């Protein structure tokens, strides 16, 4: 067993990608909250291939406070992968991922921990409002949650990011999920356990720019849907059956009409419409097949999820990422 003084109660995971302007203020607020709780803690920061001096700042903080630990990725792997690495490396009894840009108020950690102590395994923080985000982003986010909820039986709470508290047993469960395609919001829900939520107002970013453009968000949405639903694949059989049925009825009608009224030459427009419509449907269905097949391809390659260039502050040896 690990000696008592090495026991860590709460681990914080901070994925950082070009977050230099936020680092100082983040630690100031985070540490004052954690110190006020009088618990043992660690803060695992993942430098996800930042091009600015995020790493240097993190190292400076690590030297001042050894509870701050750093994983430096070999390149940018994306937030979902950074979170996965964080889960692999943390050892706390409870684990809380938090954004580096202070959109998730660190003060909320107190409430998360209180709920955890009441006996919940997962306490997620749901956004009551999203400040500093455009109308379009809020609208598309809302639609996404609505659609994914229709497509999958896994209950993914709407307006809930990765900011949540997870008990050690939930983290161990998550670590067992081998997939490369990591849609964390979905995986967090998929594992189940005793879950509850608290509400908060999402603040605007402290400094810097969001790392997501609409193309990346669209891809994240596709990733979420393909990882948690095979309905888009299955639906084509039904669409196919309906169209063949309609075509059969229409064909019978044409044959009978020709027999009764004789050969009728015009019909170019309806022919074109039918051909184009069916062609388009086939391309869409092929595209959807491609989305899934591409993901199968990614999984069978079995590449490690991430590569760590160097780490700071970890005492224990980790074998992960294959
Ligand atoms: N992030 C990351 N890797 C990336 C993109 C983002 O680690 O490739 C981190 C980023 O540093 C921040 C968090 O993920 O701590 C959320 O990113 P961001 O604030 O840009 O997303 P938004 O809040 O706009 O959804
Ligand atoms: Mg943000």
């Amino acid at each position: 067993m690990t000696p008592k003084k090495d026991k860590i109660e709460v681990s914080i995971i901070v994925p950082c990608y070009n977050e230099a302007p936020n680092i100082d203020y983040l630690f100031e607020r985070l540490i004052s909250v954690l110190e006020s709780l009088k618990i043992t803690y660690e803060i695992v920061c993942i430098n996800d291939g930042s091009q600015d001096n995020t790493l240097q700042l993190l190292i400076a903080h690590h030297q001042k406070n050894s509870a701050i630990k750093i994983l430096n990725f070999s390149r940018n792997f994306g937030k979902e992968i950074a979170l996965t690495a964080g889960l692999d490396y943390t050892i706390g009894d409870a684990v809380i991922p938090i954004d580096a840009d202070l959109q998730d108020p660190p003060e909320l950690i107190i409430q998360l921990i209180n709920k955890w102590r009441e006996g919940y395994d997962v306490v997620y923080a749901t956004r009551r409002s999203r400040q500093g985000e455009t109308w379009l982003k809020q609208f598309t986010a809302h639609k996404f949650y609505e659609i994914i909820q229709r497509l999958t039986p896994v209950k993914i709470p709407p307006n809930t990011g990765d900011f949540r508290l997870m008990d050690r047993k939930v983290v161990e469960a998550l670590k067992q999920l081998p997939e490369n395609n990591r849609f964390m919001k979905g995986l967090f829900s998929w594992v189940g356990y005793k879950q509850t939520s608290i509400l908060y107002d999402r603040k605007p970013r402290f400094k810097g720019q969001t790392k997501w453009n609409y193309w990346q968000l669209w891809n994240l949405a596709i990733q979420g849907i393909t990882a948690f639903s095979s309905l888009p694949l299955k639906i084509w059989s039904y669409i196919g059956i309906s169209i063949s049925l309609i075509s059969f009825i229409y064909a019978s009608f044409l044959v009978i009409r020709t027999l009764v009224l004789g050969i009728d030459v015009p019909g170019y427009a309806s022919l074109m419409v039918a051909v184009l419509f069916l062609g388009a449907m086939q391309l869409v269905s092929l595209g959807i097949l491609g989305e899934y097949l591409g993901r199968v391809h990614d999984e069978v390659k079995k590449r490690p999820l991430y590569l760590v260039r160097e780490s700071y502050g970890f005492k224990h040896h980790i074998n992960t990422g294959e």
Side-chain angles (χ1 to χ4, degrees):
M1 275 316 299
T2 38
K4 186 109 179 72
K5 73 174 179 32
D6 277 356
K7 189 162 166 55
I8 287 176
E9 283 162 285
V10 173
S11 301
I12 310 287
I13 302 177
V14 194
C16 306
Y17 177 51
N18 293 343
E19 298 287 3
N22 296 322
I23 299 281
D24 289 338
Y25 188 48
L26 169 76
F27 285 132
E28 190 184 309
R29 274 179 64 184
L30 203 52
I31 289 171
S32 80
V33 170
L34 292 167
E35 295 286 346
S36 77
L37 281 164
K38 307 240 176 312
I39 46 168
T40 49
Y41 65 88
E42 64 175 354
I43 303 174
V44 175
C45 305
I46 296 97
N47 178 38
D48 188 12
S50 303
Q51 288 108 32
D52 63 0
N53 60 343
T54 299
L55 180 66
Q56 286 79 343
L57 283 168
L58 288 174
I59 292 173
H61 280 277
H62 161 68
Q63 281 158 354
K64 275 185 276 174
N65 181 347
S66 62
I68 298 173
K69 303 171 184 177
I70 312 162
L71 281 178
N72 187 29
F73 275 1
S74 64
R75 63 170 170 83
N76 178 263
F77 280 91
K79 183 185 178 189
E80 311 290 302
I81 304 290
L83 284 180
T84 307
L87 292 176
D88 288 338
Y89 278 77
T90 49
I91 52 172
D93 295 335
V95 177
I96 307 174
I98 189 169
D99 283 359
D101 58 3
L102 292 148
Q103 281 196 286
D104 311 321
E107 292 71 28
L108 224 65
I109 291 174
I110 300 169
Q111 288 180 50
L112 294 176
I113 290 180
N114 284 340
K115 282 275 178 199
W116 173 53
R117 291 194 170 137
E118 281 172 28
Y120 290 99
D121 302 321
V122 178
V123 189
Y124 53 87
T126 297
R127 298 155 192 166
R128 192 187 292 127
S129 65
R130 302 165 73 118
Q131 299 166 17
E133 290 186 353
T134 60
W135 169 88
L136 187 62
K137 175 139 183 201
Q138 297 192 26
F139 176 77
T140 47
H142 177 76
K143 278 285 159 224
F144 166 71
Y145 286 114
E146 202 179 293
I147 291 170
I148 196 158
Q149 215 43 90
R150 292 221 177 127
L151 292 180
T152 164
V154 176
K155 230 188 124 23
I156 297 173
N159 287 320
T160 303
D162 302 315
F163 186 36
R164 61 185 68 211
L165 179 146
M166 287 166 283
D167 187 81
R168 175 62 24 202
K169 49 180 175 285
V170 178
V171 175
E172 292 304 320
L174 280 168
K175 279 160 70 174
Q176 284 175 31
L177 306 181
E179 57 235 80
N180 259 295
N181 234 321
R182 301 193 79 84
F183 182 65
M184 293 312 277
K185 284 190 238 305
L187 297 179
F188 287 153
S189 306
W190 182 88
V191 294
Y193 292 90
K194 199 170 161 202
Q195 309 212 355
T196 187
S197 67
I198 57 172
L199 288 175
Y200 77 110
D201 296 304
R202 181 128 161 121
K203 297 279 175 297
R205 214 169 212 287
F206 178 59
K207 290 265 172 63
Q209 291 278 312
T210 173
K211 308 297 181 306
W212 301 87
N213 56 38
Y214 280 100
W215 176 241
Q216 288 164 317
L217 285 172
W218 167 253
N219 282 317
L220 185 70
I222 302 269
Q223 187 184 347
I225 290 169
T226 51
F228 283 90
S229 170
S230 48
L231 200 68
L233 275 180
K234 292 179 187 152
I235 199 159
W236 292 99
S237 336
Y238 299 100
I239 294 180
I241 291 170
S242 321
I243 292 182
S244 8
L245 219 67
I246 295 168
S247 319
F248 180 73
I249 295 167
Y250 186 54
S252 319
F253 162 75
L254 285 183
V255 169
I256 293 166
R257 201 182 63 168
T258 315
L259 287 176
V260 176
L261 298 177
I263 293 163
D264 177 20
V265 178
Y268 175 75
S270 58
L271 205 69
M272 273 313 271
V273 169
V275 167
L276 289 177
F277 175 69
L278 283 177
M281 295 272 278
Q282 282 166 357
L283 285 179
V284 172
S285 64
L286 271 180
I288 290 178
L289 278 177
E291 288 289 344
Y292 281 88
L293 188 65
R295 284 177 168 77
V296 172
H297 185 221
D298 278 346
E299 297 293 341
V300 294
K301 280 189 283 194
K302 280 208 184 331
R303 290 197 183 142
L305 282 174
Y306 55 85
L307 297 170
V308 176
R309 186 159 178 268
E310 67 247 324
S311 65
Y312 301 82
F314 294 95
K315 284 197 210 91
H316 48 294
H317 173 72
I318 313 272
N319 60 39
T320 48
E322 297 298 312

